[in-house]
Amino acid sequence: MKRIVFIVVLALIAGSWGGNLWVYYNSQLPEPVFFKHYIEVENSPGYSFDLNYLENKSAKVKIQSIRIPELPNATVTPILVQNSYVHQNQGTMRTQIMDYDLLQPTFPEDGPLVIHRVEAVFDDNSTKELEIGEIRVYNDLLKGDSPIQSTSGGSSSENAGYTRVKFTKDTVITEISSAYLPGLGDRLTVILEAPSIKHLEQSEIQFGSETTHSGVPLSQIPFPLKFKKGDTASVTYKFDPLQNADAMAKSEVYRFLLRMELQLDNGKKAAYPIFVQSDPYLSQREVAAIVKSRRSGS
């Protein structure tokens, strides 16, 4: 009788151990995965961006840094644990454009330098190329001397932000654009407050718990817009939360530039960037869904 009880106990222990092993196995990423990034940056000292990724806590080898061969003038500061989940850590590779005269990217003749992969460097000195989404690096984004001064700005944890500017010369805004605006559609709201369009129908963006910004939606602005020296304007944006999207879509990172195209009275052209940013805050359930998706190969 004792022998039978002993065998039953062993079977229960083995079953429990096997079940735990199965759960653990299915909670592991096949390899580290970077979020899908949509980044625009000027090839100019001081510009920076973060590349976020998920990695198994129990991985035998872990990412220590990254290399971006197309950006020899960039430095990388690893933040190996930005957020912690049950089986994974979220890390960040903070990348900054530096002023290295002898090390500069090679740009195509038409358009920006576009980067889709980075070289992950692991703690055993092995390397592997991993997809990161897209980084668009511009060499001539800030052409000319801008007749604009930034007077204030801010952002919130609700993926909203604003920039208020003052014009130092008579100026015409001919366009406000970004490579990523068309793909975002209704998910991103951008409004402009300016003296010459106060008569048009205004929309509102709630910024924080107490502040409301008003302006005309970007799609309804009758460009070109004229500004006198001393005029002010403000651009406010807000990303709508993704309610029914899958976890991979919710992990998308946006850090791009709304580009104000400007024309001065003397005919010269210039540009001014408005920074737009949306960072994901993933739940444990969403991280588990990403793991499941990667394990299934989708």
Side-chain angles (χ1 to χ4, degrees):
M1 182 66 179
K2 289 182 179 180
R3 179 180 176 84
I4 294 174
V5 171
F6 179 70
I7 292 173
V8 170
V9 170
L10 281 180
L12 290 173
I13 292 173
S16 175
W17 181 83
N20 290 337
L21 185 62
W22 182 86
V23 170
Y24 170 80
Y25 177 78
N26 283 281
S27 66
Q28 300 298 294
L29 286 165
E31 65 179 10
V33 55
F34 277 85
F35 295 0
K36 194 168 186 178
H37 298 79
Y38 297 91
I39 294 172
E40 287 182 314
V41 64
E42 169 75 5
N43 181 44
S44 181
Y47 277 78
S48 64
F49 54 89
D50 290 350
L51 295 174
N52 302 325
Y53 65 96
L54 288 174
E55 182 176 54
N56 294 330
K57 286 183 175 180
S58 60
K60 291 182 179 179
V61 293
K62 296 183 178 181
I63 296 178
Q64 288 298 295
S65 188
I66 60 169
R67 289 195 288 259
I68 309 177
E70 297 92 338
L71 286 180
N73 58 334
T75 61
V76 176
T77 302
I79 304 173
L80 301 182
V81 183
Q82 184 81 22
N83 291 306
S84 183
Y85 300 94
V86 176
H87 296 287
Q88 281 77 35
N89 284 326
Q90 177 190 325
T92 297
M93 294 294 161
R94 186 151 294 163
T95 306
Q96 184 167 4
I97 306 296
M98 304 298 288
D99 189 13
Y100 296 141
D101 290 338
L102 299 179
L103 297 173
Q104 289 295 317
T106 300
F107 287 88
E109 292 184 3
D110 54 341
L113 171 65
V114 181
I115 301 167
H116 293 110
R117 299 174 186 84
V118 298
E119 191 176 81
V121 181
F122 294 86
D123 52 15
D124 65 349
N125 292 322
S126 63
T127 62
K128 184 171 185 177
E129 279 196 349
L130 295 175
E131 300 276 348
I132 48 86
E134 182 174 277
I135 306 169
R136 300 173 70 90
V137 186
Y138 295 89
N139 200 34
D140 61 349
L141 186 66
L142 306 182
K143 58 189 178 187
D145 295 325
S146 176
I148 288 180
Q149 290 180 345
S150 176
T151 60
S152 63
S155 60
S156 76
S157 59
E158 299 171 330
N159 290 323
Y162 78 95
T163 299
R164 178 167 289 277
V165 299
K166 182 178 181 180
F167 291 82
T168 60
K169 299 177 182 178
D170 291 357
T171 306
V172 175
I173 297 181
T174 59
E175 185 183 16
I176 299 177
S177 64
S178 164
Y180 298 126
L181 276 180
L184 282 166
D186 294 337
R187 185 183 168 192
L188 175 65
T189 300
V190 180
I191 58 175
L192 172 68
E193 181 274 321
S196 62
I197 53 175
K198 284 187 177 294
H199 64 286
L200 299 178
E201 184 176 353
Q202 308 283 302
S203 295
E204 293 185 344
I205 290 179
Q206 188 72 28
F207 191 83
S209 59
E210 299 179 354
T211 306
T212 300
H213 290 227
S214 299
V216 178
L218 195 58
S219 60
Q220 299 174 23
I221 296 174
F223 292 110
L225 294 181
K226 293 183 179 181
F227 292 83
K228 295 291 186 182
K229 179 181 178 180
D231 281 350
T232 61
S234 65
V235 175
T236 306
Y237 71 86
K238 186 171 185 178
F239 284 82
D240 291 332
L242 291 171
Q243 300 293 348
N244 301 315
D246 60 31
M248 288 303 296
K250 289 184 178 180
S251 72
E252 291 176 348
V253 179
Y254 288 90
R255 289 189 179 93
F256 62 88
L257 304 171
L258 284 177
R259 175 170 166 164
M260 279 188 178
E261 298 287 355
L262 310 170
Q263 185 167 332
L264 282 65
D265 276 353
N266 58 12
K268 291 185 177 181
K269 294 183 178 181
Y272 185 82
I274 303 291
F275 293 88
V276 174
Q277 182 168 328
S278 174
D279 289 308
Y281 298 93
L282 298 180
S283 66
Q284 174 59 45
R285 178 175 294 182
E286 288 164 345
V287 170
I290 290 174
V291 173
K292 182 179 180 180
S293 173
R294 301 299 289 192
R295 290 189 62 82
S296 67
S298 58

